[in-house]
Amino acid sequence: MVRSSCAILLLCLGSLISVGIEAAAIDSLKAFIQETRTVRANFSQTLYDKNARTLQESNGTMQFERPEKFRWTYEKPYEQLIVGDGTQVWFYDRDLNQVTIRQFNIAIGSSPAALLAGSSTIEDNFVLTELGLQNEIEWLEAIPKNKESTFEFIQMGFSPEGALKIMALRDSFGQTTVLSFSDLDKNPALPADLFKFIPPDKADVISE
């Protein structure tokens, strides 16, 4: 994906695990998906190595429209863009003027985008487990059923009111990315061309 987002997850995992917890976070995720057709939000992202050292911090905006349309814009420290229209996903690095195009089902089958913007039921792609309450956030863990997924697991944190606050992911190399959301707007009107992408002139285009 982008420079800082091919790896990802939450630190201090053991402190989150609890036994016998009601399905608060899973219910919040299912309600979020059922009740939300479009979303617009700001995000901050931190990438950690396997020793919990910070590798990079970035921020930007994200929008999605169910089913299977999304747009992630990284503004700092590098300007990058990820756009999915349900058929293809474009990864654009402005500094390199490079566009990578991937088939949609291959690019996001077991990714965070599949959880948020996918058209299938959650359990089709993930095994969900409650992790309990930590600092007034209800946590769940989603393990991809596809063993070829680039992620070992994804964690999501919801407020008691059911608002999505945090996503955290870890890759097979042990690197962790934590995404914190703010100013999340549910069901805003989004323009259709938001989920279309035309490579800029003279961009290096790579199809995978």
Side-chain angles (χ1 to χ4, degrees), residues 114-172:
L115 267 174
L116 294 177
S119 59
S120 60
T121 58
I122 308 165
E123 287 86 356
D124 286 350
N125 293 318
F126 299 91
V127 176
L128 303 179
T129 304
E130 288 285 340
L131 296 181
L133 182 68
Q134 175 78 6
N135 296 327
E136 299 185 353
I137 297 292
E138 292 283 356
W139 288 92
L140 65 85
E141 182 175 85
I143 298 178
K145 291 183 178 180
N146 181 357
K147 301 305 180 183
E148 296 181 359
S149 171
T150 56
F151 303 108
E152 288 186 0
F153 57 87
I154 302 168
Q155 294 181 346
M156 302 179 72
F158 291 86
S159 72
E161 296 75 29
L164 176 63
K165 305 297 290 185
I166 302 176
M167 292 185 71
L169 314 89
R170 185 172 67 195
D171 71 359
S172 57

Side-chain angles (χ1 to χ4, degrees), residues 27-43:
D27 286 348
S28 292
L29 173 59
K30 291 181 177 180
F32 180 82
I33 291 175
Q34 182 178 0
E35 299 168 1
T36 308
R37 182 173 177 269
T38 61
V39 160
R40 177 172 52 218
N42 299 324
F43 70 86

